[in-house]
Amino acid sequence: MPVEITWWGHATCTIEESNVRVLTDPLFTRRLAHLRRRQGALPPPGAWRADVALVSHLHSDHLHLPSLARLSPGTRLLVPRGARRAVPGLRRLVHLDVSEVAPGDETRVGDLLIRVVPAQHDGRRLPLGPHRSPALGYVVEGEARTYFAGDTGLFDEMAKEVGPIDVALLPVGGWGPYLGEGHLDAGRAAEALARLRPLSAVPVHYGTYWPIGMDAVRPHEFHAPGEEFVRLAAERAPQVAVHRLVHGESVRLKVAR
C-alpha cells in the first residue's frame, strides 16, 4: 500500500498510510498575528480529520491552539515534553488525547510506529516564556518510513538520529524575508537530502504566510524556495525524486522494500 502525502501549506501535511491519517503541525487560519496567508486556499474541513496530530515545536505557527481545537474528539496529539506548562491553553483541549514526547520516544497508532527524533531549532514559546521544550521531528513508520522534519537546521548527527527513511518532508523556507539559525533554506535542505538519502522528498514550509505590509520585501524568499530546492536537489541528491506540490495537492508514493 503506498503512502499518500497532502501538503496543505506551511508545515501542515496529511500522511496517510496503513489506514491511519497523520496530520503535521495543523495551521488552519488566514491570519496569525502579523502573518497573512498569501497563497493557497484554507484547508477544507476534511483536512482537520486525523487519527493522530504531530506538533514539532511550540512556536505559534506550528502549535496553533485554535487549529488544534478543530480536531475531532479523541484525536491523539503528540507535543514536545513540557508543552502543557509552557502553553497553558493546551490544558483546555480536553477533547484531545494529548501526550508529551521527547527524542527517543515511540508511539504506536494502528499499524504505524511514530518515532520522535531531535531537531535543531529554538523550542520555546515565543516571544514570551522561559520554559523550554525540545524541538522535534518525527518518523512515521509503516510500509514506508516518512520523516517530518518540523523546523530544523542541519546538524552533524541528523542522518544517524533520523535513520533510514523513504520519504522526507523538509522545510525549505519560512514566513519572512530572512531565515535565522535553526532553519533550512533550499540549499541546506538539498544538503539534508544528500545526507538522509530518502527515495522521495516533498518541500514544505514556504510560499504560504508572509508578514502583512512586506509583500515587496525580498519577495523571492516567498516565491522561489520550492523551485530552488528542486534545482539544487537534482545537483546534490540526484537519486531522490522530489515532488513539489501546490497547496492542497497530494502525491501517492510506492515504496519497495
Side-chain angles (χ1 to χ4, degrees):
M1 179 179 179
V3 59
E4 182 170 289
I5 308 295
T6 304
W7 181 50
W8 301 111
H10 204 52
T12 307
C13 300
T14 294
I15 304 165
E16 190 161 8
E17 199 211 325
S18 302
N19 296 313
V20 178
R21 286 175 62 93
V22 181
L23 183 63
T24 66
D25 286 349
L27 186 58
F28 307 134
T29 185
R30 295 189 185 281
R31 180 172 174 177
L32 174 63
H34 64 300
L35 303 180
R36 174 172 57 90
R37 188 174 181 116
R38 285 191 57 205
Q39 192 162 290
L42 279 178
W48 310 346
R49 183 171 61 84
D51 298 292
V52 59
L54 312 178
V55 169
S56 63
H57 61 289
L58 304 189
H59 294 174
S60 57
D61 57 322
H62 294 260
L63 194 166
H64 185 243
L65 291 171
S67 295
L68 294 176
R70 294 180 177 180
L71 300 180
S72 299
T75 302
R76 298 184 70 176
L77 176 64
L78 305 188
V79 299
R81 184 166 295 167
R84 279 178 285 204
R85 180 179 65 166
V87 188
L90 274 171
R91 301 171 192 165
R92 296 195 294 270
L93 302 179
V94 294
H95 67 298
L96 303 179
D97 180 5
V98 181
S99 297
E100 296 189 355
V101 294
D105 290 346
E106 296 182 346
T107 299
R108 283 212 166 267
V109 181
D111 291 332
L112 298 183
L113 175 69
I114 299 176
R115 291 194 296 111
V116 185
V117 299
Q120 185 193 68
H121 193 68
D122 187 339
R124 292 175 298 172
R125 184 70 161 183
L126 299 177
L128 303 173
H131 301 304
R132 288 189 175 273
S133 289
L136 308 175
Y138 296 89
V139 179
V140 179
E141 295 190 3
E143 293 186 25
R145 296 162 296 198
T146 302
Y147 170 47
F148 169 62
D151 255 1
T152 188
L154 281 172
F155 55 98
D156 291 341
E157 300 296 310
M158 176 180 272
K160 179 181 177 181
E161 293 285 359
V162 172
I165 56 172
D166 302 297
V167 183
L169 310 181
L170 292 181
V172 301
W175 51 253
Y178 301 99
L179 283 175
E181 292 185 6
H183 291 89
L184 297 179
D185 61 9
R188 291 190 290 270
E191 173 60 27
L193 277 194
R195 299 184 187 186
L196 295 168
R197 299 164 101 44
L199 299 175
S200 302
V202 176
V204 302
H205 203 270
Y206 77 101
T208 309
Y209 291 91
W210 202 249
I212 294 170
M214 297 186 67
D215 292 10
V217 179
R218 295 173 62 87
H220 62 284
E221 298 291 353
F222 180 83
H223 295 286
E227 291 182 358
E228 187 74 355
F229 173 69
V230 171
R231 182 181 69 81
L232 294 173
E235 296 176 0
R236 302 181 193 178
Q239 77 281 5
V240 181
V242 177
H243 303 270
R244 186 171 71 88
L245 306 179
V246 300
H247 295 80
E249 186 178 9
S250 302
V251 61
R252 293 170 65 86
L253 302 171
K254 293 184 178 180
V255 177
R257 290 283 183 92

